[in-house]
Amino acid sequence: MHHAPRHSRRRTAAAAAASTVTAALALSLVPFLQSTASAASPTAVSVPGTFNSEIGCSGDWAPDCAQAQLTQRADGKWSVTLNLPAGTWAYKAAINKSWTENYGAQGAAGGADITLTVPAGGKAVTFVYDPATHSITDNANSRVVTAAGDFQSEIGCPGDWAPDCLTSSMDDTDGDGTYTFSTTAIPAGTWQVKAALDKSWTENYGQNGTAGGANIGFTVPAAGATTTFSWNIGTHVLTVQSGTGTTPSPSASPSPSPTATPTGPTAANTLGALHTGAATTFRIWSPDSSDVKVAVGGTTYPMIPVTLNGYTGVYQTVVSGDLRNQTYQFKIRGNDVRDPYAQMVNPGTTQGVVIGSGAVQPTGGWATRPARANREDSVVYELDVRDFTIDPTSGVDAAKRGKFLGLVQGGTTYNGVRTGIDHLKELGVTDVQIMPSFDFNSTVPNWGYDPLNYNVPEEQFSQATSPEGRIREYQDMVNEFHKAGIRVIMDVVYNHTAGKGVFDGITGKYYNSTDLSGTGNSIDDGNPMVSRMIRDSLEHWVKDYNVDGFRFDLLGVHYAANVADWGSYLNATYPDRQLQIYGEPWSGGVNDPGEAQKARYGTVPTLAAAHVGVFNGAYRDAIKGGTQDNVMNYMNGGGDPSAVIRGLRGSLLATKSTNALSDPWNPAFAYDPEQSVNYVSVHDDLSLWDKITYSGAGGGATGRAGQIDRFATGMVLTSQGVPFITEGDEFLRTKVVGGNYESAKNSYNSGDDVNAVHWGDKAANAATFKYYKDAIALRKSTPALRLTSWDAVNNQLSSQNSGSVITTRISSNPAAPTAYDTVVVFNPTNSTQSPALPAGTWTKVLDTNGATSSSDTTSGPLAVTVFKKN
């Protein structure tokens, strides 16, 4: 079929009157079908008219044009808002994208065309179609009048006192000046309302039709009662009738202003299944399809677009009644899809479970969180829920091994040494970093870096079977760590999912077009709604589970600006938490076209205000060499002392600034010492002990290999920044089974024979454990090892090297920056050194064997030695 070219049909207001006859003649070209009302509910409603080409249709009077389609609302009505230019226009309502069924003026089937005039400058015109009366109205011919009150969230609005929520709009269907709205969705109770005009509070009417007057109270006698609101455009009086009752007396006591914070059950400003005892609000992001539904309780409910501050493309419906613990299933384009915001799920399905995790409390209520003055005061210990307690040597009850509550069972021992949480207390760490503990796809034993549901505790780590029980169990774990004085950091994996099938049934916009994670399905937080999902998930764990921070897997997949937003928001919203936030500043080993905008060493200065840090891989490599090779650097007497000096200073910027660096991999990157997480071993790759023995060091725990281990860890624990160790390193944990180092290099899905922590190693390597414990205690008692700013390190710390031997002098007093009170010597040589100490009397407090107290001022071979001024 040949299509004539489109021509502009914009008309000025001055020409509007002259064009009326022309427009009327044009309507004669439209099939004027005398349709009758259909008993079936429409599947589509549109507004074909003379303005269709102005809104992007291929021609006018186009009932099937996508831009002219209305969207069904929760109240059953259909609406759309179109930006129309100035002029006089004509339109009708067409059903199911054809002229077979159409309605004109006053809802008449096949009735007269409706005209509207748009003033100079154009206007956003809202059209509303009522399938019960077949009337189609617009706010150019009539005002938009909303019954705005404290009941609106109950009937599907995003919140109460919302003048812009058209779910409670009142319509003048017959043009007599009386606007009405009826609903059966308001629960029994006493409520308040006002009439708001044109979707704002600029013009509103309260009791007795008074402009800006007192709120109008009314009572709904029973659930399901019909409540009708009527507003007269002449008198401005709003009346309400519910059931057999009438509008309360105008003398009713005024209630709070509609702009006040609403009380009573309201839907939170987020997505997912938002539960109250009266109703559940279901919301999901669907930017590509309007075919959005939710199935719950045996009924499937259509969802409609909703305007929600901070979100776009969201669909919503409100289902009345208490749906707690019921499963629900979102459907988009007829396909079952997962709820990215689900707070609980039916394992093995895409079904969510209606529950309010914020309403669940741990057993006995929340304990006091451990206080911390500065993030540099932290000593972080990484562990896996299963690996830490699954071995019988953990002493944990059989039912709790490998479970959340196994991590916090007290009183456990093996061969006379403390295990589990009592071991952590004895060691002296301040924070535990728990490897993935949200819902993941793989079957344990597996570390779980394949997320399914970001906001749900992993059921394989839980003993509970009920939804509330699983939530409470995780809360109880956090609570018990807090009671022990230990903060909890979650290892989170927002950079990818278990597969694209996790979210792409909703929209492909969750994922990067080019994989950046090495897993084939990296998440694109460059989409604002994906970034907001991550921020909302982080807040969920802080708010409902009381966690104290986050470790980001492959933080480098994410945009630095988004990371800054997440951290800034959380710290501003929860200022008392001193949240610890850090991650890996690299992606999955692929070329990233957005490299300069991603989280890298070079963008770390821009994250300073958000208190976000990164793993210092450059310092790690300077100390120990590669993660999987057999080359040892400084910890075995080689490497580059200048790289070690840079790392022990917290890898601070050469020039203090929060601007991004031109080199994304500049190893001098930190604006603040808290941004450098220092480590030589983590769950990935070889454990520290395996790296040392793989590289050829011999002599066992009491020989050179053991001395190298203590030397490397001693450097981490005496450097500026945040020290990090991983489970079992403190007693020489090995993952090598039968001499197989290859499986130990990447044991994410190896069995318990490889990954389980064997607590007999603690008894066998008691001297190594004592060293770690002593070095941690020294750090915690020595302010000079925990300086808290770029200025403090720059002014109060001085490092020099003589050959490979590094001597660092530190003052803990900013008022006397060169009055050094602590000296740290790194000696990687095979001979005893005599460092030059500042004037005064000094005591050696740490050597290769741990804590000591000696007037000897030498530094032994292959050792970190710490001196304190008397």
Side-chain angles (χ1 to χ4, degrees):
M1 180 183 294
H2 174 73
H3 294 276
R6 284 186 57 195
H7 299 284
S8 173
R9 304 194 181 189
R10 293 185 179 274
R11 288 172 285 185
T12 65
S19 64
T20 303
V21 174
T22 304
L25 290 174
L27 302 192
S28 64
L29 300 176
V30 179
F32 202 84
L33 303 177
Q34 295 295 330
S35 65
T36 58
S38 171
S41 297
T43 59
V45 178
S46 59
V47 280
T50 57
F51 52 75
N52 284 170
S53 59
E54 268 63 29
I55 62 173
C57 300
S58 59
D60 290 333
W61 296 106
D64 59 347
C65 172
Q67 290 89 333
Q69 302 301 312
L70 282 66
T71 302
Q72 190 173 26
R73 309 185 320 202
D75 61 357
K77 296 180 183 180
W78 298 69
S79 67
V80 68
T81 299
L82 303 174
N83 292 315
L84 299 186
T88 295
W89 312 97
Y91 70 97
K92 298 178 73 172
I95 308 303
N96 299 335
K97 301 183 180 180
S98 81
W99 286 110
T100 303
E101 182 180 358
N102 69 88
Y103 299 95
Q106 297 185 349
D113 303 328
I114 305 165
T115 60
L116 65 89
T117 299
V118 177
K123 179 178 180 178
V125 178
T126 298
F127 298 86
V128 178
Y129 172 75
D130 187 339
T133 63
H134 305 300
S135 68
I136 177 78
T137 59
D138 62 80
N139 65 337
N141 286 324
S142 58
R143 308 292 298 271
V144 174
V145 185
T146 307
D150 61 357
F151 59 90
Q152 284 180 285
S153 62
E154 307 292 335
I155 64 173
C157 292
D160 292 329
W161 297 108
D164 57 346
C165 179
L166 296 179
T167 300
S168 59
S169 66
M170 296 182 279
D171 300 323
D172 182 9
T173 57
D174 56 7
D176 67 353
T178 299
Y179 292 69
T180 61
F181 163 66
S182 295
T183 179
T184 60
I186 303 177
T190 300
W191 310 90
Q192 303 129 76
V193 67
K194 294 181 78 173
L197 272 63
D198 298 330
K199 300 189 288 186
S200 82
W201 288 114
T202 303
E203 184 179 359
N204 70 87
Y205 298 93
Q207 289 184 17
N208 301 316
T210 302
N215 299 339
I216 301 165
F218 66 97
T219 299
V220 177
T226 298
T227 303
T228 300
F229 302 83
S230 298
W231 183 76
N232 186 285
I233 195 170
T235 65
H236 300 153
V237 171
L238 173 65
T239 59
V240 189
Q241 187 168 6
S242 185
T244 58
T246 57
T247 305
S249 167
S251 62
S253 299
S255 56
S257 164
T259 58
T261 302
T263 58
T266 59
N269 187 29
T270 185
L271 309 187
L274 311 172
H275 170 262
T276 71
T280 297
T281 301
F282 294 95
R283 293 177 181 149
I284 190 170
W285 180 47
S286 180
D288 303 329
S289 176
S290 60
D291 182 6
V292 186
K293 298 180 176 67
V294 65
V296 60
T299 302
T300 299
Y301 300 88
M303 300 175 68
I304 64 169
V306 62
T307 300
L308 202 61
N309 186 34
Y311 302 86
T312 61
V314 174
Y315 285 72
Q316 168 182 296
T317 193
V318 179
V319 180
S320 61
D322 189 350
L323 303 182
R324 185 175 64 172
N325 294 332
Q326 290 197 36
T327 59
Y328 64 94
Q329 178 67 68
F330 282 126
K331 297 174 179 290
I332 294 181
R333 294 179 290 265
N335 299 315
D336 292 351
V337 298
R338 194 178 305 275
D339 177 9
Y341 280 73
Q343 297 181 21
M344 187 52 61
V345 294
N346 183 9
T349 75
T350 55
Q351 298 170 351
V353 176
V354 176
I355 195 164
S357 58
V360 181
Q361 294 288 302
T363 305
W366 286 111
T368 302
R369 290 184 299 274
R372 178 179 56 196
N374 301 292
R375 292 171 176 84
E376 291 88 349
D377 296 338
S378 301
V379 179
V380 180
Y381 184 98
E382 179 190 45
L383 56 79
D384 176 75
V385 175
R386 183 178 179 91
D387 296 350
F388 197 65
T389 66
I390 193 63
D391 194 80
T393 59
S394 68
V396 169
D397 295 344
K400 293 181 179 179
R401 292 176 196 158
K403 307 293 185 181
F404 291 128
L405 294 186
L407 293 182
V408 292
Q409 180 179 338
T412 58
T413 62
Y414 181 75
N415 279 358
V417 300
R418 297 185 181 104
T419 63
I421 191 172
D422 288 347
H423 162 79
L424 297 175
K425 291 160 63 176
E426 181 184 12
L427 181 59
V429 296
T430 65
D431 297 66
V432 290
Q433 176 191 296
I434 300 177
M435 289 164 63
S437 54
F438 49 66
D439 187 51
F440 51 78
N441 186 54
S442 52
T443 302
V444 296
N446 189 294
W447 286 335
Y449 288 92
D450 52 348
L452 287 177
N453 296 284
Y454 285 125
N455 299 331
V456 178
E458 170 55 47
E459 78 275 0
Q460 294 176 91
F461 295 153
S462 177
Q463 295 173 272
T465 56
S466 70
E468 286 190 6
R470 286 169 57 196
I471 292 172
R472 184 171 292 108
E473 187 174 7
Y474 198 103
Q475 293 175 333
D476 284 348
M477 176 192 68
V478 174
N479 228 26
E480 292 305 311
F481 273 124
H482 285 173
K483 291 176 184 178
I486 298 172
R487 296 162 62 92
V488 177
I489 297 170
M490 287 189 71
D491 190 340
V492 289
V493 190
Y494 296 113
N495 69 86
H496 71 276
T497 57
K500 283 191 175 180
V502 173
F503 292 146
D504 68 358
I506 302 170
T507 172
K509 293 176 181 176
Y510 278 101
Y511 296 100
N512 291 297
S513 56
T514 301
D515 176 55
L516 304 178
S517 64
T519 64
N521 47 80
S522 62
I523 290 288
D524 182 12
D525 63 286
N527 189 305
M529 282 295 288
V530 177
S531 178
R532 183 59 184 263
M533 176 193 72
I534 295 172
R535 194 186 88 174
D536 288 344
S537 178
L538 294 167
E539 183 173 18
H540 165 74
W541 289 103
V542 172
K543 177 170 60 73
D544 293 351
Y545 289 91
N546 225 12
V547 304
D548 305 286
F550 302 96
R551 176 266 187 191
F552 282 79
D553 183 69
L554 297 186
L555 183 69
V557 168
H558 302 304
Y559 286 89
N562 288 338
V563 175
D565 171 71
W566 304 334
S568 296
Y569 172 79
L570 291 173
N571 288 318
T573 308
Y574 304 92
D576 60 326
R577 301 294 186 93
Q578 277 276 335
L579 296 170
Q580 196 91 40
I581 305 173
Y582 55 90
E584 297 174 301
W586 42 77
S587 58
V590 298
N591 291 325
D592 188 342
E595 179 93 2
Q597 287 77 46
K598 298 302 180 68
R600 300 285 186 269
Y601 292 150
T603 52
V604 167
T606 70
L607 306 179
H611 298 287
V612 176
V614 295
F615 281 98
N616 196 334
Y619 190 29
R620 173 201 64 196
D621 294 347
I623 293 173
K624 77 164 188 177
T627 56
Q628 295 190 4
D629 61 28
N630 59 3
V631 176
M632 290 185 284
N633 279 342
Y634 191 80
M635 69 180 184
N636 193 36
D640 179 5
S642 64
V644 175
I645 289 176
R646 180 173 55 234
L648 71 84
R649 299 180 72 251
S651 293
L652 295 185
L653 294 159
T655 303
K656 183 181 179 183
S657 170
T658 56
N659 295 326
L661 301 169
S662 58
D663 177 7
W665 298 111
N666 189 327
F669 57 80
Y671 177 88
D672 189 291
E674 71 179 24
Q675 294 186 282
S676 177
V677 178
N678 304 322
Y679 70 116
V680 285
S681 179
V682 71
H683 65 268
D684 287 324
D685 310 310
L686 295 168
S687 69
L688 178 57
W689 182 243
D690 289 343
K691 163 70 178 182
I692 292 168
T693 58
Y694 182 63
S695 301
T702 58
R704 183 173 181 84
Q707 200 165 6
I708 292 172
D709 182 283
R710 298 190 298 276
F711 183 44
T713 299
M715 284 189 273
V716 168
L717 289 169
T718 57
S719 294
Q720 303 300 322
V722 177
F724 171 103
I725 60 177
T726 192
E727 58 184 354
D729 272 1
E730 68 275 22
F731 43 74
L732 307 181
R733 177 197 187 195
T734 179
K735 294 188 283 184
V736 175
V737 177
N740 188 347
Y741 279 92
E742 292 306 310
S743 64
K745 289 180 180 179
N746 191 12
S747 61
Y748 74 95
N749 63 350
S750 295
D752 295 331
D753 58 330
V754 172
N755 284 327
V757 172
H758 298 281
W759 291 91
D761 292 340
K762 180 180 179 181
N765 299 307
T768 302
F769 171 74
K770 175 185 178 299
Y771 178 86
Y772 277 67
K773 174 184 174 182
D774 290 351
I776 290 171
L778 176 65
R779 179 181 183 84
K780 292 167 71 175
S781 65
T782 308
L785 300 179
R786 298 176 282 110
L787 300 179
T788 59
S789 69
W790 187 96
D791 291 321
V793 174
N794 202 50
N795 297 334
Q796 297 164 231
L797 183 151
S798 174
S799 291
Q800 296 84 31
N801 65 292
S802 176
S804 61
V805 179
I806 300 170
T807 301
T808 301
R809 302 166 181 85
I810 317 168
S811 169
S812 59
N813 183 2
T818 59
Y820 301 121
D821 52 57
T822 304
V823 173
V824 181
V825 180
F826 293 173
N827 178 12
T829 73
N830 297 323
S831 59
T832 298
Q833 302 292 317
S834 296
L837 301 178
T841 304
W842 294 82
T843 298
K844 182 188 296 186
V845 294
L846 184 79
D847 63 14
T848 188
N849 296 312
T852 186
S853 180
S854 170
S855 59
D856 174 32
T857 57
T858 63
S859 175
L862 204 61
V864 173
T865 308
V866 179
F867 302 91
K868 283 191 175 183
K869 192 171 186 178
N870 296 338

